[in-house]
């Protein structure tokens, strides 16, 4: 595969632009329907921030119900709908948008030395498909029956019982709300798939001259692996969604089990296997969590390198670990279904395969940690978030070991132990990675620094709040507190319930800590301290271009001459060597 | 913020043109990824089929013989596609024949639907029938995508991208062969 993008052509392209210099490009094409990956990246970030207000707000609402039952003004049906929408919005419309789409769009072309994504127009389309998807998701709260209430996993039978035609109605939310949920998710899949195609094509084909695969920053590696994983696993959910829609609206029987009676009404389209849906969902679902978590880890590698002034420990082993994680990640989905009934040998297999994954994960964790060994660390906000990520990877991973053991999982499944585990991973790891990236690249995005004091406030509030809240949830799971319950009555669970007010207070702390972040983000855009082109003295390509970044990213495309992390490679120990430095 | 991003937009925001050779590579990446995704999609459906057929209510219907004719049509379309790809004076004619065969295939599938419906076998008649209708529809969507690409190639006279069109087209043909086998023999 020839990789180099001709420098000459880049220059020619630039001159072509220069021709129209001075013409005020239309506002709409510049900021709204822009094909520039940097603008699109920022658009995704803003969209994610908007959706996070909804998603986090929902979580505080049901946390009030859990801590002080009856005080939150909601019915049990509304409770499950709110939980469902919280999960869906946070995973697909906050973390995916901010981390995968937002920071990915901004950083990939800049880090590989390309002028834009391989398909800028497709890229713009990806974003503009997300806008109606988000709107539909939110509007589904206001249709008859309210929003979907079948969990973010949308398991049938509940999610299939639409109440349309001869299909009985499962719950208020399984009517129109679930249909809109599926529609929004379908749009999301289309957009995310197009985004993934763009990422892979950009990374494979548009790298600057000299940027061999093993010279790519780890951030790029993680986006690359994540995009491939997504492209190979989303089709499973697509197929499942098609069959679910047919069951819901046209009366087929892919997923509805025989003998199904819903509020006295015998369902007609039965004989199917709900378990099948679980397999298909998790065939996507498990890789999807890696799609989200890997780029967060990649960003942490870059950030830690820059602020510890050392190349990340074990670059090659990290790349191999990534590839092994990706491969194993596709064949462990069954660990979400230990209690759903499966052949014990199959359960054993899924158990062992899942435990195997912790090995490459541990490699990544150890490499992150070892990167800090004897380093002169600069404790910027970005660095703090990256350090927070390491500890969340460790803590969440330990929970994973318990869950991967089928015999233990029989107890833990569907308790708050699982909720605590996956929030540490898919919530804290991803968001600390995202914030590390935002504080790191903000000067490149907007030419100004974010405020460090507010940043540290943001970090400590988020870190303490989130850690306390999710670690306590593990213990509530030990105590038998099941998830997705509106109210609890059993005696044995009372001690676990007693922790609920504390959990809710920590949730308020963690969410409240985002207020200084929001303020900081918008305030710093206009009023932040002016930033130079390479304020962190980092060595990857995005820091070799001017700030603000010109359209087309570089006057002349960079030519890569060495490894991405040229820290402490200069004559006087503390110097650094840019990736495009003359040899 | 607009002021900050201003510099990104200081010049006319034309998308940056890539050199021909690089563009060819990105198309290649895109095509192979889409084929990989398509294979995953049909694999998922096939796995679902094999799971669903173990239920008590499984009763496969006999498919209209026409589906075999359609298989021959799509096979022939693959041959003409190859001839078009080889280039030469009659390349465009072969490309046109491929498109015609593709349209014929879709029409044939539609007739097969009507034949089955005439026998009283509808989408919800049996799980086997559900799979038949669903898979033919999903497959037709992939054929339609192929036809759109081929039409675009036909309009742009003489180009080097026919190899990728052919790759997709063969994938679509193979997918149909696989689906017929699955629905008939499993
Ligand atoms: C050290 C590696 C890990 C292991 C061994 C592991 C293991 C498991 C197991 C066995 C479950 C199923 C528990 C149950 O439902 O009873 C689970 C749930 C989950 N894990 Fe992990 N996990 C690991 C890392 C991760 C990572 C990195 C993420 C996300 C980025 C993640 C996200 C999730 C999610 C979202 C769920 C549950 C979703 C739900 O039921 O709604 N896990 N994990
Ligand atoms: Cu999993």
């Amino acid at each position: 595969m020839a990789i180099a993008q001709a420098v000459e052509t880049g220059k020619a392209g630039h001159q072509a632009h220069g021709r129209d210099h001075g013409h005020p490009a239309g506002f709409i094409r510049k900021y709204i329907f822009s094909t520039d990956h940097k603008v699109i990246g920022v658009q995704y970030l803003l969209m994610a921030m908007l959706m996070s207000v909804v998603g986090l707000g929902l979580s505080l609402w049901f946390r009030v119900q859990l801590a002080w039952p009856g005080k939150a003004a909601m019915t049990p049906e509304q409770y499950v709908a709110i939980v469902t929408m919280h999960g869906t919005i946070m995973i697909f419309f906050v973390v995916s948008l901010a981390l995968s789409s937002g920071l990915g769009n901004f950083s990939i072309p800049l880090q590989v030395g390309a002028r834009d994504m391989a398909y800028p127009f497709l890229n713009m389309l990806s974003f503009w498909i997300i806008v109606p998807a988000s709107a539909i998701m939110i509007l589904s709260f206001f249709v008859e029956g309210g929003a979907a209430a079948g969990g973010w996993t949308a398991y049938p039978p509940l999610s299939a019982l639409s109440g349309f035609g001869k299909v009985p109605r499962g719950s208020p939310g399984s009517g129109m709300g679930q249909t809109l949920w599926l529609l929004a998710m379908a749009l999301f899949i289309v957009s995310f798939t197009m985004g993934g195609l763009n990422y892979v094509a950009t990374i494979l084909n548009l790298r600057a001259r000299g940027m061999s695969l093993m010279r790519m920053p780890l951030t790029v590696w993680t986006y690359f692996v994540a995009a491939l994983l997504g492209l190979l696993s989303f089709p499973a959910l697509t197929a499942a969604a098609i069959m679910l829609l047919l069951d819901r609206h046209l009366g087929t029987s892919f997923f509805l089990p025989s003998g199904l009676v819903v509020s006295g009404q015998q369902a007609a389209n039965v004989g199917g296997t709900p378990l099948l849906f679980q397999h298909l969902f998790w065939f996507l679902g498990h890789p999807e969590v890696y799609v989200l978590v890997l780029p967060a880890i990649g960003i942490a590698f870059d950030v830690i390198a820059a602020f510890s002034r050392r190349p990340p420990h074990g670059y090659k082993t990290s790349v191999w670990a990534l590839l092994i994680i990706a491969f194993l990640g596709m064949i462990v989905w069954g660990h979400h279904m230990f209690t759903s009934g499966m052949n014990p040998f199959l359960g054993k297999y899924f158990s062992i395969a899942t435990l195997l994954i912790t090995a490459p994960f541990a490699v990544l964790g150890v490499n992150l940690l070892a990167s800090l060994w004897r380093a002169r660390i600069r404790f910027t906000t970005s660095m703090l978030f990256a350090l927070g990520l390491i500890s969340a990877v460790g803590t969440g991973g330990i929970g994973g070991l318990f869950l991967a053991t089928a015999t233990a999982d029989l107890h833990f499944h569907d308790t708050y132990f699982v909720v605590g585990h996956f929030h540490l991973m898919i919530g804290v790891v991803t968001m600390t990675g995202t914030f590390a990236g935002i504080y790191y690249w903000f000067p490149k995005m907007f030419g100004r620094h974010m405020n460090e004091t507010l940043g540290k406030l943001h970090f400590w509030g988020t870190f303490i709040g989130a850690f306390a809240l999710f670690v306590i949830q593990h213990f509530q799971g030990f105590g038998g507190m099941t998830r997705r319950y509106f109210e609890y009555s059993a005696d044995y669970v009372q001690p676990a319930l007693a922790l609920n007010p504390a959990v809710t207070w920590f949730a308020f702390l963690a969410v409240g800590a985002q207020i200084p972040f929001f303020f900081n983000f918008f305030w710093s855009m206009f009023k932040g301290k002016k930033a130079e082109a390479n304020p962190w003295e980092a060595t990857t390509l995005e820091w070799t271009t001017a700030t603000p970044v010109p359209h087309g990213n570089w006057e002349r495309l960079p030519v890569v001459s060495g490894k991405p992390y040229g820290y402490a490679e200069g004559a006087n120990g503390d110097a650094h060597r840019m990736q495009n430095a003359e040899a | 913020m607009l002021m900050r991003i201003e510099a990104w937009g200081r010049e006319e925001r034309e998308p940056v043109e890539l050199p021909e050779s690089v563009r060819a590579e990105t198309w290649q990446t895109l095509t192979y990824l889409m084929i990989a995704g398509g294979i995953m999609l049909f694999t998922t459906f096939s796995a679902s089929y094999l799971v669903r057929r173990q239920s008590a209510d499984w009763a496969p219907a006999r498919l209209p013989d026409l589906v075999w004719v359609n298989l021959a049509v799509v096979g022939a379309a693959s041959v003409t596609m190859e001839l078009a790809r080889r280039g030469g004076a009659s390349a465009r004619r072969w490309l046109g024949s491929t498109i015609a065969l593709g349209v014929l295939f879709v029409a044939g599938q539609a007739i097969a639907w009507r034949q089955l419906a005439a026998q009283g076998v509808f989408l919800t008649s049996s799980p086997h029938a559900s799979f038949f209708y669903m898979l033919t529809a999903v497959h037709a969507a992939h054929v339609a995508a192929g036809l759109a690409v081929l039409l675009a190639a036909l309009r742009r006279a003489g180009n080097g991208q026919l190899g990728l069109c052919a790759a997709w087209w063969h994938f679509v043909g193979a997918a149909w062969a696989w689906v017929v086998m699955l629905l008939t023999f499993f």
Side-chain angles (χ1 to χ4, degrees):
Chain A
M1 204 167 319
I3 281 101
Q5 186 180 346
V7 181
E8 290 70 28
T9 324
K11 217 171 73 191
H14 195 263
Q15 279 157 2
H17 301 144
R19 237 192 2 245
D20 294 327
H21 204 92
H23 283 230
F27 175 85
I28 293 195
R29 276 197 49 214
K30 219 190 293 182
Y31 304 117
I32 312 288
F33 294 107
S34 168
T35 56
D36 188 314
H37 72 100
K38 303 180 286 301
V39 178
I40 295 175
V42 172
Q43 285 175 325
Y44 271 119
L45 279 182
L46 295 176
M47 192 73 199
M49 287 166 82
L50 190 68
M51 291 300 274
S52 76
V53 175
V54 182
L56 292 174
L58 293 175
S59 74
L60 292 183
W61 192 9
F62 65 68
R63 276 313 318 177
V64 170
Q65 163 64 25
L66 285 169
W68 304 285
K71 291 270 159 55
M74 63 171 77
T75 64
E77 289 80 10
Q78 283 167 340
Y79 177 87
V80 275
I82 292 168
V83 171
T84 299
M85 294 298 280
H86 160 72
T88 309
I89 290 175
M90 293 309 289
I91 293 178
F92 297 106
F93 291 85
V94 178
V95 176
S96 301
L97 294 196
L99 180 58
S100 307
S101 310
L103 292 180
N105 257 305
F106 185 81
S107 67
I108 291 173
L110 283 171
Q111 285 205 324
V112 301
R115 297 206 175 276
D116 206 315
M117 284 288 173
Y119 295 95
F121 184 77
L122 193 70
N123 202 21
M124 179 187 84
L125 222 54
S126 300
F127 175 74
W128 282 102
I129 290 176
I130 281 298
V131 175
S134 311
I136 292 170
M137 201 48 103
I138 304 250
L139 286 178
S140 75
F141 270 109
F142 305 103
V143 295
E144 182 270 326
W152 79 278
T153 51
Y155 282 1
L158 190 55
S159 63
L161 295 170
S162 61
F164 296 112
K166 289 203 209 101
V167 186
R169 178 77 166 257
S171 77
S174 43
M176 198 57 186
Q178 188 76 48
T179 300
L180 292 182
W181 187 93
L182 279 164
L183 183 62
M185 283 305 297
L187 291 174
F188 174 87
I189 294 176
V190 170
S191 158
F192 215 60
T193 303
M194 290 175 3
L197 292 171
N198 237 332
Y199 282 14
V200 177
T202 305
I203 294 171
L204 278 185
N205 306 127
L206 264 54
R207 299 198 305 281
R209 188 189 291 172
M211 176 73 86
S212 62
L213 285 176
M214 291 311 264
R215 281 178 175 177
M216 296 197 307
L218 284 164
T219 301
V220 177
W221 262 110
T222 51
Y223 276 116
F224 177 56
V225 170
L228 283 177
L229 261 181
L231 289 171
L232 292 179
S233 59
F234 263 107
L237 184 65
T238 308
I242 290 174
M243 289 188 271
L244 190 57
L245 276 170
L246 290 176
D247 274 5
R248 287 174 56 76
H249 294 276
L250 296 178
T252 55
S253 60
F254 293 108
F255 298 131
L256 289 176
S258 31
L260 187 67
V261 179
V262 184
S263 30
Q265 188 189 349
Q266 176 88 42
N269 53 332
V270 297
T273 44
L275 258 186
L276 172 60
F277 183 91
Q278 297 193 16
H279 278 289
L280 300 186
F281 181 88
W282 287 113
F283 187 86
L284 156 86
H286 187 82
E288 163 69 8
V289 301
Y290 290 175
V291 169
L292 298 182
V293 86
L294 293 181
I297 294 177
I299 291 173
F301 269 113
D302 273 27
V303 165
I304 287 174
F307 295 118
S308 60
R309 314 306 300 158
R310 300 189 49 189
H313 185 263
Y315 176 96
K316 260 194 212 150
T317 52
S318 295
V319 170
W320 278 107
L322 272 176
L323 296 173
I324 294 171
I325 288 174
F327 172 72
L328 290 176
M330 305 257 337
I331 54 172
V332 296
W333 74 91
H335 64 221
H336 294 273
M337 303 165 57
F338 286 138
T339 62
S340 308
M342 68 169 90
N343 185 313
F345 289 109
L346 195 57
K348 189 142 223 140
Y349 155 74
F350 278 126
S351 213
I352 292 169
T354 306
L355 287 169
L356 277 181
I357 278 206
T358 56
F361 252 106
V363 169
L364 291 183
V366 167
N367 279 349
L368 281 169
L369 264 183
S371 306
L372 301 169
W373 182 251
R374 291 184 152 170
R376 284 186 303 276
I377 297 176
R378 299 176 181 173
F379 285 101
T380 59
T381 305
S382 174
M383 182 65 172
L384 288 178
F385 273 108
L387 295 175
L389 175 139
I390 302 182
S391 83
V393 169
T395 317
I398 289 175
L401 284 174
F402 287 66
L403 296 173
T405 313
T407 40
D409 186 62
L410 293 183
H411 176 75
F412 290 131
H413 180 68
D414 266 350
T415 69
Y416 268 75
F417 190 93
V418 176
V419 176
H421 158 70
F422 75 72
H423 275 90
L424 275 180
M425 283 299 189
I426 214 170
V428 183
V429 172
T430 56
M431 286 322 289
T432 46
T434 305
F435 288 134
I438 289 179
Y439 284 94
Y440 182 61
W441 282 308
F442 194 91
K444 193 48 73 179
M445 287 180 188
F446 303 110
R448 289 175 187 267
H449 281 282
M450 288 180 81
N451 179 289
E452 280 289 314
T453 312
L454 284 175
K456 292 196 168 128
L457 195 67
H458 174 213
F459 169 74
W460 287 108
T462 308
F463 188 72
I464 295 172
F467 246 85
L469 130 78
F470 297 128
V471 169
I472 296 176
Q473 287 185 341
H474 283 74
F475 290 101
Q476 292 184 301
F478 272 126
M481 185 178 160
T482 38
R483 68 192 281 205
R484 293 174 174 157
Y485 275 34
F486 175 67
E487 258 176 336
Y488 300 79
S489 51
D491 279 339
Y492 68 83
V493 73
Q494 295 310 319
L497 294 185
L499 294 168
N500 264 338
V503 172
T504 298
W505 283 120
F506 281 119
F508 272 103
L509 173 61
V511 174
Q514 308 314 308
I515 295 171
F517 168 71
F518 272 63
F519 175 77
N520 197 355
F521 191 88
F522 292 107
W523 184 82
S524 302
M525 261 179 212
F526 303 105
K527 295 274 157 68
K529 194 166 72 140
K530 278 248 163 66
E532 302 135 37
N534 186 6
W536 313 121
E537 303 174 295
T539 54
T540 40
L541 290 185
E542 73 269 37
W543 306 106
T544 63
T545 184
T547 296
V549 184
H551 181 52
N553 294 347
W554 285 271
E555 291 284 323
R556 291 190 61 134
L557 279 178
V559 177
V560 171
S561 59
K563 296 200 154 55
Y565 306 108
Y567 296 103
E569 280 191 5
N572 60 359
D574 196 33
H576 55 280
R577 179 185 180 285
M578 302 307 284
Q579 207 182 355
N580 66 343
E582 309 274 318
Chain B
M1 168 182 72
L2 298 185
M3 270 158 25
R4 292 290 98 214
I5 307 184
E6 186 75 50
W8 303 351
R10 202 166 284 150
E11 296 141 84
E12 191 63 44
R13 336 210 86 237
E14 288 308 324
V16 184
E17 285 303 323
L18 287 175
E20 279 281 311
S21 61
V22 177
R23 182 46 88 207
E25 283 175 12
T26 66
W27 281 120
Q28 193 175 18
T29 305
L30 203 71
T31 311
Y32 289 138
L33 284 175
M34 285 181 32
I35 292 176
I39 290 175
M40 289 307 290
L41 185 70
F42 282 98
T43 306
T44 309
F45 278 123
S46 308
S48 307
Y49 180 91
L50 296 176
V51 168
R52 183 66 179 84
R53 74 181 289 284
Q54 293 173 17
S55 303
D57 63 347
W58 188 257
R62 200 181 130 76
L63 300 184
D65 290 333
L66 187 56
V67 299
W68 295 99
V69 179
N70 293 340
L71 179 58
V73 171
V74 94
S78 261
V79 174
T80 53
M81 184 73 234
E82 271 306 297
L83 291 171
R85 193 174 70 82
R86 298 268 152 81
S90 45
R92 272 178 67 83
R93 209 143 21 91
W94 287 122
L95 193 57
S97 331
T98 310
I99 293 173
L101 285 170
V103 173
L104 188 66
F105 170 80
V106 176
Q109 297 284 76
I111 297 172
W113 273 32
R114 299 201 49 180
Q115 289 181 349
L116 207 59
Q119 294 169 28
V121 180
F122 299 102
L123 177 72
T124 54
S125 302
S126 77
H128 183 262
S130 305
F131 272 104
F132 172 77
Y133 283 105
M134 177 175 69
L135 287 178
T136 41
V138 169
H139 181 260
H142 287 75
V143 179
L147 283 174
V149 178
L150 290 186
L151 275 174
L154 190 66
R155 282 184 41 184
R156 276 174 306 151
N159 68 91
Q161 303 292 3
L162 272 187
L164 297 177
C165 298
W168 178 261
W169 194 251
H170 296 326
F171 155 67
V172 168
W176 179 244
W178 169 252
V179 169
V180 184
M181 301 299 161
L182 189 72
L183 289 170
T184 311
F185 298 116
F186 288 93

